[in-house]
Amino acid sequence: MNKNQPKDMDKKRRLFEAAARLFAEKGFEKTTVDEIAEAAEVAKGTVYYHFKGKEELFLFLVEEGMAILMRRIAATLKNGMDCRVSLKKLIQVQLEFFAEYWDVCRIVLAEAWGTSTRQEKLQELLNEYYAIVGRIMEQGIRERVIRPQDKEVLCTALFGMTVLVALHFLQKSGPVDWARIEEQLETLFFRGVVIDTGNGKLL
Amino acid sequence: MNKNQPKDMDKKRRLFEAAARLFAEKGFEKTTVDEIAEAAEVAKGTVYYHFKGKEELFLFLVEEGMAILMRRIAATLKNGMDCRVSLKKLIQVQLEFFAEYWDVCRIVLAEAWGTSTRQEKLQELLNEYYAIVGRIMEQGIRERVIRPQDKEVLCTALFGMTVLVALHFLQKSGPVDWARIEEQLETLFFRGVVIDTGNGKLL
Amino acid sequence: MNKNQPKDMDKKRRLFEAAARLFAEKGFEKTTVDEIAEAAEVAKGTVYYHFKGKEELFLFLVEEGMAILMRRIAATLKNGMDCRVSLKKLIQVQLEFFAEYWDVCRIVLAEAWGTSTRQEKLQELLNEYYAIVGRIMEQGIRERVIRPQDKEVLCTALFGMTVLVALHFLQKSGPVDWARIEEQLETLFFRGVVIDTGNGKLL
Amino acid sequence: MNKNQPKDMDKKRRLFEAAARLFAEKGFEKTTVDEIAEAAEVAKGTVYYHFKGKEELFLFLVEEGMAILMRRIAATLKNGMDCRVSLKKLIQVQLEFFAEYWDVCRIVLAEAWGTSTRQEKLQELLNEYYAIVGRIMEQGIRERVIRPQDKEVLCTALFGMTVLVALHFLQKSGPVDWARIEEQLETLFFRGVVIDTGNGKLL
DNA sequence: CATGAATGAGATTTCATTCAT
DNA sequence: CATGAATGAAATCTCATTCAT
């Protein structure tokens, strides 16, 4: 038995990847355990050997994904950083993550909006994320760099624009110019869409 | 023969309303046809008399919802309107719609991110919406009111921030101060988060 | 209201024809009342206006068909006819009938072999037919023209060969040379397949 | 681990046997999957574990049945056999098979006359059978033992008489004298019904 | 470690028939 | 005469989970 053949390679990882792809493509409910096992090229029983059930596999998936995002954010943000730099880097890290973990991202978007246990868990994970971003916003407002506004609006708006833009471009086939998108999102989030007339009036 | 008695009210409509409520409350998959029939106070067979199946009922729902949004947008935007006013009203109509048709929106949001046939239909509807918003952006850019940027980024970003903010607040129980949210989104989208220092530099 | 338009023409007859075609194509159970009504271009309720139910429509169909066959046979056979002529004419009439009422014929073949009420009724009709043919055979045996054999075997064998041959050629597309088939069946039934060696031995 | 206990006996085989019995007793449509599962002493889900659905179970059944008939025919016919012996044995094997597999035969007979996909499969199997019989007829005609006639007429006529006679007697309750029927069918097929007058004239 | 046959609760769907108009 | 919306009993099928090997 050659343990180095792809077939022998970590069945748990294969399950993880197959599940991520399928949940993203068809949603949690429409994806069957049979399909996951088949896509991962393991027997159905193996799913239940590694995970307590479909639900646990799902949570494992999402938690892993969010943990990765969190680690990346933590690695990027330094104490004492200018909040504008923090936000700039945050957008950058987010776009990178969304592009790399497209599947996890779609899963979160698709499954976060109900009231089941699973969905509450997702909300929790999102809230953890909002907490981090919220602290940056607070700092900015304290330092009078950011317009004093409702933190929750700012966090969810930033997340919403970033994630939907990323998803939109990933759904289209063809190469994506991430640098350009990042720059435009940054400008949009920092300065808005309206060209400054210099007279302080928007309209 | 009083056609206005609740019991005489079009059973199809009753089904529509029951389904919208239940799908939003519990999601498409978790809602059973039995429940829909019971909530609509019709026999189970009646669901299949009016709709080819659960799936078709769902699509009917989503199309109706999007049609309502489109009609509201069309009724609000006038030719020759300043594009800033148009955008302002767009945000307003969207938030209103999200709040009023939370249930349908949640369905759309939860089902729009995959790649199956059902989801393609939703993508199509979203693209129609983007087309309308895109025209406003183009006008603004032409009139040098809006910073020249990628239309697609602007449209999806606007939709993303609006929808995720709305969803976030609707998820939390308790009353929502929509006027405040609307104002903040407007400010954010028009002027960005960074306080203008007057010297033209962001950082 | 022009009563002469095809659409207004005898709805009962239209139902009859649609049902015959559909029962023959798909069998009794697989054919739905909706389909019959649609094919006949009448409302579903109309089926129940003219017939007590699906079962009755079926029986009406088969009885009509068998009655036609019986009438044709009665019109062809004369008292005092040579039994060989009778049998010749019987084969002829049968082939004609099978070709003309292919549908009814397929229905009988497909639905006669169970134990439900419907199928017992069919058996009854077949037995009426066998009775007539049986009388010819009896006469032939009495007159020492026909080899004395079990009447039931002779009747069912004659019916079996005629109906399956007819069906086989009707199922193939393209024109059928009925005269040739009739002649061959006659030879086969009268003289068998083996060429007479004149020495009285078959083998 | 005694594999020979009835309970250990392949559940797929138990399903097969239960289905064959029930389909023949009550017909395909009237037999429910619940009944089949109950008769086979397995859970309903087990039916769907082994077969894609009721339809597939049915086809599996018919194919098995036809395969048995084909094997029996192949085992009986030897190369170089006199074609009269071949035909004699063919009738014998067919009658034996019809008597033994009455249930499967009834299914085939009841379902073979339509034009749907299911029925096309049956037509295919019948054509295979006709091909074998056809070769015997050809041989006989070449050897001037069989009256030169349309092969198709001979094959379908032989099948038709055999099957309808068998069915007729199986339908009646009570014991059947198969030897007598076989002998009569043989005489009929070989020599026809008319007593040879020696003068070469039929009429 | 891993398997896959087996399960059964519960879902979706079908369809002959009824009935008010 | 004819309709077609409505019904509900009964059917088919799905699928997460278990468990003996």
Coordinates of all heavy atoms in Angstrom, one line a residue, chain E:
Chain E
dC1 P -5.9 6.7 12.9 OP1 -6.1 7.5 14.1 OP2 -4.7 6.2 12.4 O5' -7.2 6.4 12.2 C5' -7.7 5.0 12.3 C4' -7.8 4.6 10.8 O4' -8.1 3.2 10.8 C3' -8.8 5.3 10.0 O3' -8.3 5.4 8.7 C2' -10.0 4.5 10.1 C1' -9.4 3.1 10.2 N1 -10.2 2.1 11.0 C2 -10.6 0.9 10.5 O2 -10.3 0.7 9.3 N3 -11.4 0.0 11.2 C4 -11.6 0.3 12.5 N4 -12.3 -0.6 13.2 C5 -11.2 1.5 13.1 C6 -10.5 2.4 12.4
dA2 P -9.0 6.2 7.5 OP1 -8.1 6.4 6.4 OP2 -9.7 7.4 8.2 O5' -10.1 5.2 7.1 C5' -9.7 4.0 6.5 C4' -10.9 3.2 6.1 O4' -11.5 2.6 7.2 C3' -12.0 4.0 5.4 O3' -12.0 3.5 4.0 C2' -13.3 3.6 6.1 C1' -12.9 2.4 7.0 N9 -13.5 2.3 8.3 C8 -13.6 3.2 9.3 N7 -14.2 2.7 10.4 C5 -14.6 1.4 10.0 C6 -15.3 0.4 10.7 N6 -15.8 0.6 11.9 N1 -15.6 -0.7 10.0 C2 -15.1 -0.9 8.8 N3 -14.5 0.0 8.0 C4 -14.2 1.1 8.7
dT3 P -13.1 4.0 3.0 OP1 -12.5 3.8 1.6 OP2 -13.6 5.3 3.3 O5' -14.2 2.9 3.2 C5' -13.9 1.6 2.9 C4' -15.1 0.7 3.2 O4' -15.4 0.9 4.6 C3' -16.4 1.1 2.5 O3' -16.6 0.2 1.5 C2' -17.5 1.1 3.6 C1' -16.8 0.5 4.8 N1 -17.2 1.0 6.1 C2 -17.9 0.1 6.9 O2 -18.3 -1.0 6.6 N3 -18.3 0.7 8.2 C4 -17.9 1.9 8.7 O4 -18.3 2.3 9.8 C5 -17.2 2.7 7.8 C7 -16.7 4.1 8.2 C6 -16.8 2.2 6.6
dG4 P -17.1 0.6 0.1 OP1 -16.4 -0.2 -0.9 OP2 -17.1 2.1 0.0 O5' -18.6 0.1 0.2 C5' -18.8 -1.2 0.6 C4' -20.3 -1.3 1.1 O4' -20.4 -0.8 2.5 C3' -21.3 -0.5 0.3 O3' -22.5 -1.1 0.3 C2' -21.4 0.8 1.1 C1' -21.4 0.2 2.5 N9 -21.1 1.1 3.5 C8 -20.5 2.4 3.5 N7 -20.4 3.0 4.6 C5 -20.9 2.1 5.5 C6 -21.1 2.2 6.9 O6 -20.8 3.1 7.7 N1 -21.7 1.0 7.4 C2 -22.1 -0.1 6.7 N2 -22.7 -1.1 7.4 N3 -22.0 -0.2 5.4 C4 -21.4 0.9 4.9
dA5 P -23.1 -1.9 -0.9 OP1 -22.1 -2.7 -1.5 OP2 -23.8 -0.9 -1.7 O5' -24.2 -2.8 -0.2 C5' -23.7 -3.9 0.7 C4' -24.7 -4.1 1.8 O4' -24.5 -3.0 2.8 C3' -26.2 -4.1 1.5 O3' -26.8 -5.0 2.3 C2' -26.6 -2.6 1.8 C1' -25.7 -2.3 3.0 N9 -25.4 -0.9 3.2 C8 -24.9 0.0 2.3 N7 -24.6 1.2 2.7 C5 -24.9 1.1 4.1 C6 -24.8 2.0 5.1 N6 -24.4 3.3 5.0 N1 -25.2 1.6 6.4 C2 -25.6 0.3 6.5 N3 -25.8 -0.6 5.6 C4 -25.4 -0.2 4.4
dA6 P -28.3 -5.4 2.1 OP1 -28.5 -6.8 2.5 OP2 -28.7 -5.0 0.7 O5' -29.0 -4.4 3.1 C5' -28.8 -4.7 4.5 C4' -29.5 -3.6 5.4 O4' -28.8 -2.4 5.2 C3' -30.9 -3.3 5.0 O3' -31.7 -3.7 6.1 C2' -31.0 -1.8 4.8 C1' -29.7 -1.3 5.4 N9 -29.1 -0.1 4.7 C8 -28.8 0.0 3.4 N7 -28.3 1.2 3.1 C5 -28.3 1.9 4.3 C6 -27.9 3.2 4.7 N6 -27.5 4.1 3.8 N1 -28.1 3.6 6.0 C2 -28.6 2.7 6.8 N3 -29.0 1.4 6.6 C4 -28.8 1.1 5.3
dT7 P -33.3 -3.6 6.1 OP1 -33.8 -4.6 7.0 OP2 -33.7 -3.5 4.7 O5' -33.5 -2.2 6.8 C5' -32.9 -2.0 8.1 C4' -33.1 -0.5 8.4 O4' -32.3 0.3 7.6 C3' -34.5 0.0 8.4 O3' -35.0 0.2 9.7 C2' -34.5 1.3 7.5 C1' -33.0 1.6 7.5 N1 -32.5 2.3 6.3 C2 -32.0 3.6 6.5 O2 -32.0 4.2 7.5 N3 -31.5 4.1 5.3 C4 -31.5 3.5 4.1 O4 -31.0 4.1 3.1 C5 -32.0 2.2 4.0 C7 -32.0 1.5 2.7 C6 -32.5 1.7 5.1
dG8 P -36.4 -0.2 10.1 OP1 -36.4 -0.7 11.5 OP2 -37.1 -1.0 9.0 O5' -37.1 1.2 10.2 C5' -36.5 2.3 10.9 C4' -37.1 3.6 10.5 O4' -36.4 4.1 9.2 C3' -38.6 3.6 10.1 O3' -39.2 4.8 10.4 C2' -38.6 3.4 8.6 C1' -37.4 4.3 8.3 N9 -36.9 4.1 7.0 C8 -37.0 3.0 6.1 N7 -36.4 3.1 5.0 C5 -35.7 4.3 5.1 C6 -34.8 4.9 4.2 O6 -34.4 4.6 3.1 N1 -34.4 6.2 4.7 C2 -34.7 6.7 5.9 N2 -34.2 7.9 6.3 N3 -35.5 6.1 6.8 C4 -36.0 4.9 6.3
dA9 P -40.1 4.9 11.7 OP1 -39.6 4.1 12.8 OP2 -41.5 4.6 11.2 O5' -40.1 6.4 12.0 C5' -38.8 7.0 12.2 C4' -38.7 8.3 11.4 O4' -38.3 8.0 10.0 C3' -40.0 9.2 11.3 O3' -39.6 10.5 11.5 C2' -40.5 8.9 9.9 C1' -39.2 8.7 9.2 N9 -39.3 7.9 8.0 C8 -40.0 6.7 7.8 N7 -39.9 6.2 6.6 C5 -39.0 7.0 6.0 C6 -38.4 6.9 4.7 N6 -38.7 6.0 3.8 N1 -37.5 7.9 4.3 C2 -37.2 8.8 5.2 N3 -37.7 9.0 6.5 C4 -38.6 8.0 6.8
dG10 P -40.7 11.6 11.7 OP1 -40.2 12.5 12.7 OP2 -42.1 11.0 11.7 O5' -40.7 12.4 10.3 C5' -39.4 12.7 9.7 C4' -39.6 13.1 8.2 O4' -39.7 11.9 7.5 C3' -40.9 13.9 7.9 O3' -40.6 14.8 7.0 C2' -41.8 12.8 7.3 C1' -40.8 12.0 6.5 N9 -41.2 10.8 6.0 C8 -42.1 9.9 6.6 N7 -42.3 8.8 5.9 C5 -41.6 9.0 4.7 C6 -41.4 8.2 3.6 O6 -42.0 7.2 3.3 N1 -40.6 8.8 2.7 C2 -39.9 10.0 2.8 N2 -39.1 10.4 1.9 N3 -40.0 10.8 3.9 C4 -40.9 10.2 4.8
dA11 P -41.1 16.3 7.1 OP1 -40.2 17.0 8.0 OP2 -42.6 16.1 7.4 O5' -41.1 16.8 5.6 C5' -39.8 16.8 4.9 C4' -40.0 16.3 3.5 O4' -40.3 14.9 3.6 C3' -41.1 16.8 2.7 O3' -40.7 18.0 2.0 C2' -41.4 15.7 1.7 C1' -40.8 14.5 2.3 N9 -41.8 13.4 2.5 C8 -42.6 13.2 3.6 N7 -43.4 12.2 3.5 C5 -43.1 11.6 2.3 C6 -43.6 10.5 1.6 N6 -44.5 9.7 2.1 N1 -43.0 10.2 0.4 C2 -42.1 11.0 -0.1 N3 -41.6 12.1 0.5 C4 -42.1 12.4 1.7
dT12 P -41.7 18.7 1.0 OP1 -41.0 20.0 0.6 OP2 -43.0 18.8 1.7 O5' -41.8 17.8 -0.3 C5' -40.6 17.5 -1.0 C4' -40.9 16.7 -2.2 O4' -41.6 15.5 -1.8 C3' -41.9 17.4 -3.1 O3' -41.5 17.2 -4.5 C2' -43.3 16.7 -2.9 C1' -42.8 15.3 -2.4 N1 -43.8 14.6 -1.5 C2 -44.3 13.4 -1.8 O2 -44.0 12.8 -2.9 N3 -45.1 12.8 -0.9 C4 -45.5 13.3 0.3 O4 -46.2 12.7 1.0 C5 -44.9 14.7 0.6 C7 -45.3 15.3 1.9 C6 -44.1 15.2 -0.3
dT13 P -42.1 18.0 -5.7 OP1 -41.1 18.2 -6.7 OP2 -42.8 19.2 -5.1 O5' -43.2 17.0 -6.2 C5' -42.7 15.6 -6.5 C4' -43.9 14.7 -6.7 O4' -44.6 14.5 -5.5 C3' -45.0 15.3 -7.7 O3' -45.0 14.5 -8.8 C2' -46.3 15.2 -6.9 C1' -46.0 14.2 -5.8 N1 -46.7 14.3 -4.5 C2 -47.6 13.3 -4.2 O2 -47.7 12.3 -4.8 N3 -48.2 13.5 -2.9 C4 -48.1 14.5 -2.1 O4 -48.7 14.6 -1.0 C5 -47.2 15.6 -2.5 C7 -47.0 16.8 -1.7 C6 -46.6 15.4 -3.7
dT14 P -45.9 14.8 -10.0 OP1 -45.2 14.4 -11.2 OP2 -46.5 16.1 -9.9 O5' -47.1 13.7 -9.9 C5' -46.7 12.4 -9.6 C4' -48.0 11.6 -9.5 O4' -48.6 11.8 -8.2 C3' -49.1 11.8 -10.5 O3' -49.5 10.6 -11.0 C2' -50.1 12.6 -9.7 C1' -50.0 12.0 -8.3 N1 -50.4 12.9 -7.2 C2 -51.2 12.3 -6.2 O2 -51.6 11.2 -6.3 N3 -51.5 13.1 -5.2 C4 -51.1 14.4 -5.0 O4 -51.4 15.1 -4.0 C5 -50.2 15.0 -6.0 C7 -49.7 16.4 -5.9 C6 -50.0 14.2 -7.1
dC15 P -50.1 10.4 -12.4 OP1 -49.8 9.1 -12.9 OP2 -49.9 11.6 -13.2 O5' -51.7 10.4 -12.0 C5' -52.0 9.5 -10.9 C4' -53.5 9.7 -10.5 O4' -53.5 10.7 -9.4 C3' -54.3 10.3 -11.6 O3' -55.5 9.6 -11.6 C2' -54.5 11.7 -11.2 C1' -54.6 11.6 -9.7 N1 -54.2 12.9 -9.0 C2 -54.7 13.0 -7.7 O2 -55.4 12.2 -7.2 N3 -54.4 14.2 -7.1 C4 -53.6 15.1 -7.7 N4 -53.3 16.2 -7.0 C5 -53.1 15.0 -9.0 C6 -53.5 13.8 -9.6
dA16 P -56.2 9.1 -13.0 OP1 -55.4 8.1 -13.6 OP2 -56.5 10.3 -13.8 O5' -57.6 8.5 -12.4 C5' -57.5 7.5 -11.4 C4' -58.6 7.8 -10.4 O4' -58.4 9.0 -9.7 C3' -60.0 7.9 -11.0 O3' -61.0 7.3 -10.1 C2' -60.3 9.4 -11.0 C1' -59.4 9.9 -9.8 N9 -58.8 11.2 -9.9 C8 -58.1 11.7 -11.0 N7 -57.7 12.9 -10.8 C5 -58.0 13.2 -9.5 C6 -57.8 14.4 -8.8 N6 -57.1 15.5 -9.2 N1 -58.3 14.4 -7.5 C2 -58.9 13.3 -7.1 N3 -59.2 12.2 -7.7 C4 -58.7 12.2 -8.9
dT17 P -62.5 7.2 -10.6 OP1 -63.0 5.9 -10.0 OP2 -62.6 7.5 -12.1 O5' -63.1 8.4 -9.8 C5' -63.0 8.4 -8.4 C4' -63.4 9.8 -7.8 O4' -62.5 10.8 -8.2 C3' -64.8 10.3 -8.3 O3' -65.6 10.4 -7.1 C2' -64.5 11.6 -8.9 C1' -63.2 12.0 -8.3 N1 -62.4 13.0 -9.0 C2 -62.1 14.2 -8.4 O2 -62.4 14.5 -7.3 N3 -61.3 15.0 -9.2 C4 -60.9 14.8 -10.5 O4 -60.2 15.6 -11.1 C5 -61.3 13.5 -11.1 C7 -60.8 13.2 -12.5 C6 -62.0 12.7 -10.3
dT18 P -67.1 10.6 -7.2 OP1 -67.7 9.6 -6.3 OP2 -67.5 10.7 -8.6 O5' -67.3 12.0 -6.5 C5' -66.5 12.4 -5.4 C4' -66.6 13.8 -5.1 O4' -65.7 14.6 -6.0 C3' -68.0 14.4 -5.3 O3' -68.2 15.3 -4.1 C2' -67.9 15.3 -6.6 C1' -66.4 15.7 -6.5 N1 -65.8 16.0 -7.9 C2 -65.0 17.2 -8.0 O2 -64.9 18.0 -7.1 N3 -64.5 17.4 -9.2 C4 -64.5 16.5 -10.3 O4 -63.9 16.8 -11.3 C5 -65.3 15.3 -10.1 C7 -65.4 14.3 -11.2 C6 -65.9 15.1 -8.9
dC19 P -69.7 15.6 -3.7 OP1 -69.7 15.5 -2.3 OP2 -70.6 14.9 -4.6 O5' -69.8 17.2 -4.1 C5' -68.7 18.0 -3.8 C4' -68.9 19.3 -4.5 O4' -68.2 19.3 -5.8 C3' -70.3 19.7 -4.8 O3' -70.5 21.1 -4.6 C2' -70.5 19.3 -6.3 C1' -69.1 19.7 -6.8 N1 -68.8 19.1 -8.1 C2 -67.9 19.7 -8.9 O2 -67.4 20.8 -8.6 N3 -67.6 19.1 -10.1 C4 -68.1 17.9 -10.4 N4 -67.8 17.4 -11.6 C5 -69.0 17.2 -9.6 C6 -69.3 17.9 -8.4
dA20 P -71.7 21.6 -3.7 OP1 -71.5 21.2 -2.3 OP2 -73.0 21.3 -4.5 O5' -71.5 23.2 -3.8 C5' -70.1 23.7 -3.8 C4' -70.0 24.8 -4.9 O4' -69.7 24.1 -6.1 C3' -71.2 25.7 -5.1 O3' -70.7 27.0 -5.4 C2' -71.8 25.0 -6.4 C1' -70.6 24.5 -7.1 N9 -70.9 23.3 -8.0 C8 -71.8 22.3 -7.8 N7 -71.8 21.4 -8.7 C5 -70.8 21.8 -9.6 C6 -70.3 21.3 -10.8 N6 -70.8 20.2 -11.3 N1 -69.4 22.0 -11.5 C2 -68.9 23.2 -10.9 N3 -69.3 23.8 -9.8 C4 -70.3 23.0 -9.2
dT21 P -71.7 28.2 -5.6 OP1 -71.1 29.3 -5.0 OP2 -73.1 27.7 -5.3 O5' -71.6 28.4 -7.2 C5' -70.3 28.6 -7.8 C4' -70.5 28.5 -9.3 O4' -70.7 27.2 -9.7 C3' -71.6 29.4 -9.8 O3' -71.1 30.4 -10.7 C2' -72.5 28.4 -10.6 C1' -71.5 27.2 -10.9 N1 -72.1 25.9 -11.1 C2 -71.7 25.2 -12.2 O2 -70.9 25.6 -13.0 N3 -72.3 23.9 -12.3 C4 -73.2 23.4 -11.4 O4 -73.7 22.3 -11.7 C5 -73.6 24.2 -10.3 C7 -74.6 23.7 -9.3 C6 -73.0 25.4 -10.2

